[in-house]
Amino acid sequence: MLDVRVRSQVGFEPERRSSHPYLCIDFRTLHTRLSCGALSADSGTEKRVHRLLSFQRYLHSSRLLRGIPQQIPLHILDEDYSGQARCMLEKVGNWNFDIFLFDKLTNGNSLISLTLHLLNQYGLVDLFQLDMVRLWRFLVLVQEDYHNDNPYHNSVHAADVTQAMYCYLQEPMLSKSLTSYDILLGILAAATHDLDHPGVNQPFLIKTDHYLARLYRNTSVLENHHWKSAVGLLRETGLFSHLPAEDSLNMERDLGSLILATDISRQNDYLSRFRTHLDQDSLCLANGSHRHFVLQMALKCADICNPCRPWELSKQWSEKVTEEFFQQGDIERKHKLEVSPLCDRETNTICNIQIGFMTYVAEPLFGEWARFSDTRLSQTMLGHMGLNKASWGGLQQEQTAVSEEAELSTADPDAGESRSKEIPQGSRES
């Protein structure tokens, strides 16, 4: 019987056995995704204790600011790399922005660099009188709290979503209507929307009786955790402590409302509301609640925009998210749990997963977004998605043909050989 205790990265769960007969799962152990390899139990515990203690986090962050080397330092890049990164940021509003390249040029600090750049570009640091030390520390801790050993839900995904959100904020329908508060909220929500994601989905947390599932009563478990984690960092760093308490609480509440909108299980609810507004032409962006709803839809689009990127980028994201699905399925199979849909590498392929996702999730959402904001960007996104879907369809046909040929060869080993043999010219009997 497996007796591995469940722990979250942000806290300890009291020692107990799961109600499930097979497991209490430590995600870090089972995924073997520790960034520095196979650590001992003691060093893993030390890392978690380090993350828990505000004083230690302050010390860690302040040393980073002073440039004192740490176990995981924020390296200073040479001028070539930092220069190229600055050049890329000049085109941060381009839809073909290569976040993978930008992450390399910033030495894995794409989320910090991009978010700080956008906040400065909009003048939000000055406008909201944000303390630069506190802001820097907040961004460092946000990036640190993403699990970069997750193939997909990591800080690069958060940076990609933040860049996409910026593209949407620049769209005429939004840029002429949103307030500075809306923009600040949208950027922070994009940067923190998957904070401390464990690399498995909500059904997995529920069926393994994870304490987060019980804490949030099996409802928007991950999204609630992302939101609360973000609020924890805001309070720990005191980023908005200079604001009136009511304003700070409103910011936390509105941030949660945006992050909770990314729950894919509520996709149809939001899409239905959006469609109704568009059908009735009832969206009024002078209305604060309507602007907030549009921000929710923008974040939802940014979160799942990978199928709308150019093929070279979209394909990389598709491979990463599928691998994360399959890793969860491997864990489920290993522990004799029912393998979740899309997570079985033996019955699913990246092609059918992507085609299904585009057909049933992405196309309906981006079709409605294009009705709301009929711009060149919207048409570009729909165009890329159509081409990407066709590309996955072509690859699927190739794989099917190869599979069928292999099955024929297995069934009749001589069949392929006999078909390929031809009587040499001139050897036929007359």
Short mmCIF file of all heavy atoms in Angstrom, two decimals, residues 121-148:
data_model
loop_
_atom_site.label_atom_id
_atom_site.label_comp_id
_atom_site.label_asym_id
_atom_site.label_seq_id
_atom_site.Cartn_x
_atom_site.Cartn_y
_atom_site.Cartn_z
N GLN A 121 5.44 50.35 -19.46
CA GLN A 121 4.98 50.91 -20.74
C GLN A 121 3.65 51.64 -20.57
O GLN A 121 3.42 52.67 -21.21
CB GLN A 121 4.84 49.79 -21.77
CG GLN A 121 4.40 50.28 -23.14
CD GLN A 121 4.74 49.29 -24.23
OE1 GLN A 121 5.89 48.88 -24.40
NE2 GLN A 121 3.73 48.87 -24.99
N TYR A 122 2.78 51.11 -19.73
CA TYR A 122 1.49 51.76 -19.48
C TYR A 122 1.60 52.86 -18.41
O TYR A 122 0.60 53.52 -18.12
CB TYR A 122 0.47 50.73 -19.00
CG TYR A 122 -0.22 49.98 -20.12
CD1 TYR A 122 0.00 48.62 -20.32
CD2 TYR A 122 -1.12 50.62 -20.96
CE1 TYR A 122 -0.65 47.92 -21.33
CE2 TYR A 122 -1.78 49.94 -21.98
CZ TYR A 122 -1.54 48.60 -22.16
OH TYR A 122 -2.19 47.91 -23.17
N GLY A 123 2.77 53.03 -17.82
CA GLY A 123 2.94 54.05 -16.79
C GLY A 123 2.26 53.70 -15.48
O GLY A 123 1.98 54.58 -14.65
N LEU A 124 2.01 52.40 -15.27
CA LEU A 124 1.25 51.97 -14.09
C LEU A 124 2.08 52.03 -12.81
O LEU A 124 1.53 52.20 -11.72
CB LEU A 124 0.70 50.56 -14.31
CG LEU A 124 -0.26 50.42 -15.50
CD1 LEU A 124 -0.60 48.96 -15.75
CD2 LEU A 124 -1.53 51.23 -15.27
N VAL A 125 3.38 51.87 -12.95
CA VAL A 125 4.25 51.92 -11.76
C VAL A 125 4.16 53.30 -11.11
O VAL A 125 3.97 53.43 -9.90
CB VAL A 125 5.70 51.58 -12.12
CG1 VAL A 125 6.61 51.72 -10.90
CG2 VAL A 125 5.79 50.15 -12.67
N ASP A 126 4.26 54.32 -11.95
CA ASP A 126 4.16 55.69 -11.43
C ASP A 126 2.73 56.03 -11.01
O ASP A 126 2.52 56.64 -9.95
CB ASP A 126 4.65 56.69 -12.48
CG ASP A 126 6.14 56.59 -12.73
OD1 ASP A 126 6.86 56.14 -11.81
OD2 ASP A 126 6.58 56.95 -13.84
N LEU A 127 1.78 55.66 -11.85
CA LEU A 127 0.39 56.03 -11.60
C LEU A 127 -0.12 55.48 -10.28
O LEU A 127 -0.80 56.17 -9.51
CB LEU A 127 -0.49 55.54 -12.76
CG LEU A 127 -1.95 55.99 -12.72
CD1 LEU A 127 -2.06 57.50 -12.80
CD2 LEU A 127 -2.73 55.35 -13.87
N PHE A 128 0.22 54.21 -9.99
CA PHE A 128 -0.24 53.59 -8.75
C PHE A 128 0.81 53.67 -7.64
O PHE A 128 0.65 53.03 -6.60
CB PHE A 128 -0.64 52.13 -9.01
CG PHE A 128 -1.93 52.00 -9.77
CD1 PHE A 128 -1.93 51.96 -11.15
CD2 PHE A 128 -3.15 51.95 -9.10
CE1 PHE A 128 -3.12 51.86 -11.86
CE2 PHE A 128 -4.34 51.85 -9.81
CZ PHE A 128 -4.33 51.81 -11.19
N GLN A 129 1.88 54.43 -7.90
CA GLN A 129 2.93 54.66 -6.91
C GLN A 129 3.45 53.35 -6.33
O GLN A 129 3.59 53.18 -5.11
CB GLN A 129 2.42 55.58 -5.79
CG GLN A 129 1.99 56.95 -6.29
CD GLN A 129 1.49 57.85 -5.18
OE1 GLN A 129 0.81 57.39 -4.25
NE2 GLN A 129 1.81 59.13 -5.25
N LEU A 130 3.75 52.42 -7.24
CA LEU A 130 4.24 51.11 -6.80
C LEU A 130 5.72 51.22 -6.43
O LEU A 130 6.52 51.77 -7.20
CB LEU A 130 4.05 50.07 -7.92
CG LEU A 130 2.62 49.85 -8.40
CD1 LEU A 130 2.59 48.81 -9.51
CD2 LEU A 130 1.72 49.43 -7.24
N ASP A 131 6.05 50.69 -5.29
CA ASP A 131 7.44 50.66 -4.85
C ASP A 131 8.20 49.63 -5.68
O ASP A 131 7.81 48.47 -5.77
CB ASP A 131 7.49 50.27 -3.36
CG ASP A 131 8.91 50.23 -2.84
OD1 ASP A 131 9.40 51.28 -2.41
OD2 ASP A 131 9.51 49.14 -2.87
N MET A 132 9.30 50.06 -6.31
CA MET A 132 10.01 49.18 -7.24
C MET A 132 10.61 47.96 -6.56
O MET A 132 10.66 46.88 -7.14
CB MET A 132 11.11 49.96 -7.97
CG MET A 132 10.62 50.73 -9.18
SD MET A 132 9.78 49.70 -10.42
CE MET A 132 11.10 48.62 -10.91
N VAL A 133 11.09 48.11 -5.33
CA VAL A 133 11.65 46.96 -4.60
C VAL A 133 10.55 45.94 -4.34
O VAL A 133 10.73 44.74 -4.55
CB VAL A 133 12.32 47.41 -3.29
CG1 VAL A 133 12.74 46.20 -2.46
CG2 VAL A 133 13.53 48.29 -3.59
N ARG A 134 9.40 46.42 -3.88
CA ARG A 134 8.29 45.51 -3.62
C ARG A 134 7.77 44.87 -4.91
O ARG A 134 7.45 43.68 -4.93
CB ARG A 134 7.15 46.25 -2.93
CG ARG A 134 7.46 46.66 -1.50
CD ARG A 134 6.33 47.44 -0.89
NE ARG A 134 6.61 47.76 0.51
CZ ARG A 134 5.82 48.48 1.28
NH1 ARG A 134 4.69 48.97 0.79
NH2 ARG A 134 6.15 48.72 2.53
N LEU A 135 7.69 45.66 -5.97
CA LEU A 135 7.22 45.12 -7.26
C LEU A 135 8.17 44.06 -7.78
O LEU A 135 7.74 42.98 -8.21
CB LEU A 135 7.08 46.26 -8.27
CG LEU A 135 6.71 45.83 -9.70
CD1 LEU A 135 5.38 45.09 -9.71
CD2 LEU A 135 6.68 47.05 -10.63
N TRP A 136 9.46 44.35 -7.72
CA TRP A 136 10.45 43.38 -8.20
C TRP A 136 10.36 42.09 -7.38
O TRP A 136 10.38 41.00 -7.93
CB TRP A 136 11.85 43.98 -8.11
CG TRP A 136 12.91 43.04 -8.60
CD1 TRP A 136 13.74 42.30 -7.83
CD2 TRP A 136 13.23 42.74 -9.95
NE1 TRP A 136 14.57 41.54 -8.61
CE2 TRP A 136 14.29 41.79 -9.92
CE3 TRP A 136 12.75 43.18 -11.18
CZ2 TRP A 136 14.85 41.28 -11.08
CZ3 TRP A 136 13.32 42.66 -12.34
CH2 TRP A 136 14.36 41.73 -12.28
N ARG A 137 10.26 42.24 -6.07
CA ARG A 137 10.18 41.06 -5.21
C ARG A 137 8.91 40.26 -5.51
O ARG A 137 8.93 39.04 -5.56
CB ARG A 137 10.20 41.50 -3.74
CG ARG A 137 10.17 40.31 -2.79
CD ARG A 137 10.43 40.72 -1.35
NE ARG A 137 10.16 39.57 -0.52
CZ ARG A 137 9.17 39.49 0.35
NH1 ARG A 137 8.34 40.50 0.49
NH2 ARG A 137 9.00 38.41 1.07
N PHE A 138 7.80 40.96 -5.72
CA PHE A 138 6.55 40.28 -6.07
C PHE A 138 6.71 39.47 -7.35
O PHE A 138 6.34 38.29 -7.41
CB PHE A 138 5.43 41.31 -6.23
CG PHE A 138 4.16 40.75 -6.79
CD1 PHE A 138 3.31 39.96 -6.01
CD2 PHE A 138 3.80 41.00 -8.11
CE1 PHE A 138 2.13 39.44 -6.52
CE2 PHE A 138 2.62 40.47 -8.63
CZ PHE A 138 1.79 39.69 -7.84
N LEU A 139 7.30 40.07 -8.39
CA LEU A 139 7.45 39.38 -9.67
C LEU A 139 8.41 38.19 -9.56
O LEU A 139 8.19 37.14 -10.18
CB LEU A 139 7.92 40.35 -10.74
CG LEU A 139 6.91 41.46 -11.11
CD1 LEU A 139 7.52 42.42 -12.13
CD2 LEU A 139 5.62 40.85 -11.65
N VAL A 140 9.48 38.37 -8.78
CA VAL A 140 10.42 37.25 -8.56
C VAL A 140 9.70 36.08 -7.90
O VAL A 140 9.84 34.91 -8.30
CB VAL A 140 11.63 37.69 -7.71
CG1 VAL A 140 12.43 36.49 -7.22
CG2 VAL A 140 12.53 38.63 -8.52
N LEU A 141 8.89 36.36 -6.88
CA LEU A 141 8.18 35.30 -6.17
C LEU A 141 7.10 34.66 -7.03
O LEU A 141 6.87 33.45 -6.94
CB LEU A 141 7.58 35.84 -4.87
CG LEU A 141 8.60 36.29 -3.81
CD1 LEU A 141 7.88 36.81 -2.57
CD2 LEU A 141 9.53 35.15 -3.44
N VAL A 142 6.44 35.47 -7.86
CA VAL A 142 5.44 34.91 -8.78
C VAL A 142 6.11 33.91 -9.72
O VAL A 142 5.66 32.77 -9.88
CB VAL A 142 4.75 36.03 -9.59
CG1 VAL A 142 3.98 35.45 -10.77
CG2 VAL A 142 3.78 36.81 -8.70
N GLN A 143 7.22 34.33 -10.34
CA GLN A 143 7.90 33.42 -11.27
C GLN A 143 8.40 32.18 -10.54
O GLN A 143 8.31 31.06 -11.05
CB GLN A 143 9.07 34.15 -11.93
CG GLN A 143 9.81 33.27 -12.94
CD GLN A 143 10.79 34.06 -13.76
OE1 GLN A 143 10.44 34.66 -14.76
NE2 GLN A 143 12.05 34.07 -13.34
N GLU A 144 8.90 32.36 -9.32
CA GLU A 144 9.42 31.23 -8.54
C GLU A 144 8.32 30.24 -8.18
O GLU A 144 8.57 29.03 -8.08
CB GLU A 144 10.07 31.77 -7.27
CG GLU A 144 10.74 30.72 -6.39
CD GLU A 144 11.27 31.32 -5.11
OE1 GLU A 144 12.41 31.79 -5.12
OE2 GLU A 144 10.54 31.34 -4.11
N ASP A 145 7.09 30.73 -8.02
CA ASP A 145 6.00 29.86 -7.59
C ASP A 145 5.36 29.08 -8.74
O ASP A 145 4.47 28.26 -8.51
CB ASP A 145 4.93 30.66 -6.85
CG ASP A 145 5.24 30.74 -5.35
OD1 ASP A 145 6.33 30.29 -4.97
OD2 ASP A 145 4.41 31.27 -4.58
N TYR A 146 5.79 29.32 -9.96
CA TYR A 146 5.40 28.43 -11.06
C TYR A 146 6.33 27.23 -11.06
O TYR A 146 7.52 27.36 -10.77
CB TYR A 146 5.47 29.16 -12.41
CG TYR A 146 4.24 29.99 -12.70
CD1 TYR A 146 4.21 31.35 -12.41
CD2 TYR A 146 3.10 29.41 -13.26
CE1 TYR A 146 3.08 32.10 -12.67
CE2 TYR A 146 1.97 30.16 -13.51
CZ TYR A 146 1.96 31.50 -13.22
OH TYR A 146 0.83 32.25 -13.47
N HIS A 147 5.79 26.08 -11.38
CA HIS A 147 6.59 24.85 -11.39
C HIS A 147 7.20 24.70 -12.78
O HIS A 147 6.55 24.20 -13.71
CB HIS A 147 5.72 23.63 -11.09
CG HIS A 147 5.04 23.68 -9.76
ND1 HIS A 147 4.50 22.57 -9.15
CD2 HIS A 147 4.80 24.71 -8.90
CE1 HIS A 147 3.95 22.91 -8.00
NE2 HIS A 147 4.13 24.21 -7.83
N ASN A 148 8.43 25.10 -12.93
CA ASN A 148 9.04 25.05 -14.25
C ASN A 148 9.43 23.65 -14.69
O ASN A 148 9.98 23.46 -15.77
CB ASN A 148 10.22 26.02 -14.32
CG ASN A 148 9.75 27.46 -14.42
OD1 ASN A 148 8.65 27.72 -14.91
ND2 ASN A 148 10.55 28.38 -13.94
#
